[in-house]
Structure formats: C-alpha cells, structure tokens
Amino acid sequence: MEDCFEHKIVPVNGINMHVVEAGQGPVILFIHGFPELWYSWRHQISFVAKHGYRAVAPDLRGFGDTTGVLKHDPSKFTSLQVVGDLVELLNTIAPKEEKVFAVGHDWGAIIAWALCLFRPDKVKALVNLSVAFSPRNPKRKPLETLRAVYGEDYYVVRFQEPGEIEAEFAKIGTKKVLENFLSYRNPGPLYLPKSKLFDDSPVILPSWLPEKEVDYVASKYEKAGFTGGVNYYRAIDLNWELTAAWTGAKVKVPVKFIVGDLDLTYNAPGVKDYVHKGGMKKDVPLLEEVVILENVGHFLQQEKPDEINKHIYAFFHGFSSSA
C-alpha cells in the first residue's frame, strides 16, 4: 500500500513541508511526535485511504524531509508556529474543506490540542493518542515544574542545553538512539543520565517494529539530525509565555482519547486522576470517550495498529455519515 503514498513538498510559512498523502474523501490530518516522522502513521494512512478518507501526514517543522526552518533557534518551534504550519498546509492542499479530522500522538497530540484551542473552526473531531490535555498553569513555568518533580536527569530537562544531547546521541549512533526510544516500555519516567544514556546491552526490537522500519526512520534522522525535534522541548517555557491568553480556555471539539496502560505519559503523577475523575472532561467538555489499551506502551499506533485504526474509523465515521 505504501507504493500508493504520494510524497509532495508544500511551501508553508517560509518552510518547505514534506507531506505524504493517500486516498480520497474527507481529510484526516495525522500529526506525529518525537522521535517520529510521518512514517509513524503508515498503518493508519493505508487503512483510512481504503475506507473513504484522504490521509494527510506531514513531517513537522524540524523533522525528516521538511526543510527551511532555522534548526538552531528553538524560538522557531513554538506551538503557535507549528499550528500555523498545519493551518496553512490545510488551506493550501484542501482549500474547499472548512474542517478536517485530526489525529495526534506524543508531541503531535500536544500540537493537536493546541490546534483545537487556537482554531477550533478547522477541526471536525480529534482522536488524540498518548498525551492528555494539560491546562496551562499561570503560576508556574512547565520546565521548573518538571525539574522539581523529576530532577536534572529527566529527559525533558536533559534536552534543554543546545547541542549537548545531540553530541551524546552522536557518540551512541542514530540507529541505536532510535531503537532505545522506540522500544521504551517502562511506565516510569524516562531518565537520561550523562554517565550512561542507555543500557549497553543490545536492543531487542519488539515484534511490531521490524529492523527495516527502524532503518528508514534512522536514515531520515541521519540526514536531518535530532535538533529540530528536540527544539520542541526547548520551547516549552516560551510556549507557556505565548499562550497566556488561553489560560482557562476549553477544547471545544469532539474528542476520543486513547492511551496505553504502560505509557509513561499516562503514569505521570496526577494524570490518571485527571483523566478519570472529571478534570479532563471539564477542560475538554466534548470528550466523548477515553480508551485505555491494556499492556500497551507509548507508540500505540504502531504497536496496535488494527485497534487504533478501528477506533479512528468508528469515531470519525459517525461525523462523516451525519455530515
């Protein structure tokens, strides 16, 4: 089916965005995370294209074959800019579609939440994976909170110094770094101590991640580097500053949220209570369903593609058939 994927470069907001498309029908925008690419959605692209939808999966700014952004300037990687890229992409490739469906994962889920906050007029419905909505805390910047809770070795904190983590990744090798991230299955927090980022033992890839697929992702990261993706983490405090106007704002788009029970994001302090005890429903009033997949880790759309595909189709089909 990947032979039917159409690759194109679309100029948006001064960058050249690499986009993969397949199928005809209502647009489903797939938004990837880190360390991922459009390729993380390969199973979903094939599925929705066969079921009457037009899949649109870009490499976000700083990732893969999308070029033109100043990668060494973290201020170019705020959610406002990334959402702006996606809005302009949709205006360019689907000018007649007032609203589209959206699916996000990891950083892509964070961007999808932001898209729905900033431009709810552009989104019919959202299926978000892994990362629950996180309301802005006006009293404390996110980085100081993460540092206080997890310490200096926590991966988000370790990503902050420009060039430092990239140099450490270079010593280990791109493929091994990706193997470690993509096979991570510990529900506890991810720590990257300076003395030893990862275990020295060979990585045993899970059955859902063939080596040839890691090789594809590694080939793109070898070319583009890790800086673009890591800059999303470096811009988290700037995001906080720029989004003050949305403090207390609610996500007013129909949402299905799906997460694996072994996902480190789901097991972070306070998240389960927020998701299940009414906090998230208060902030996302059109939250229609929360799905917890048992014995599933962070990269759930790749680990359990058939289940995720069914959930996406079932949720969006209801809106498509009633349109």
Side-chain angles (χ1 to χ4, degrees), residues 31 83 86 102-104 107-117 123 126 128:
I31 314 171
V83 168
L86 297 176
V103 183
W107 259 105
I110 296 172
I111 297 301
W113 291 125
L115 172 63
C116 293
L117 274 180
V123 184
L126 168 67
N128 240 0

Side-chain angles (χ1 to χ4, degrees), residues 20 37 51 68 80 130 145 149 172 188 229 236 269 319:
V20 174
L37 303 165
H51 287 80
L80 285 167
S130 181
T145 300
V149 172
I172 296 170
I236 59 171
F319 295 95

Side-chain angles (χ1 to χ4, degrees), residues 20-41:
V20 174
E21 292 191 38
Q24 299 292 326
V27 168
I28 301 180
L29 175 67
F30 291 96
I31 314 171
H32 70 79
F34 175 87
E36 299 180 276
L37 303 165
W38 74 267
Y39 191 68
S40 299
W41 301 112

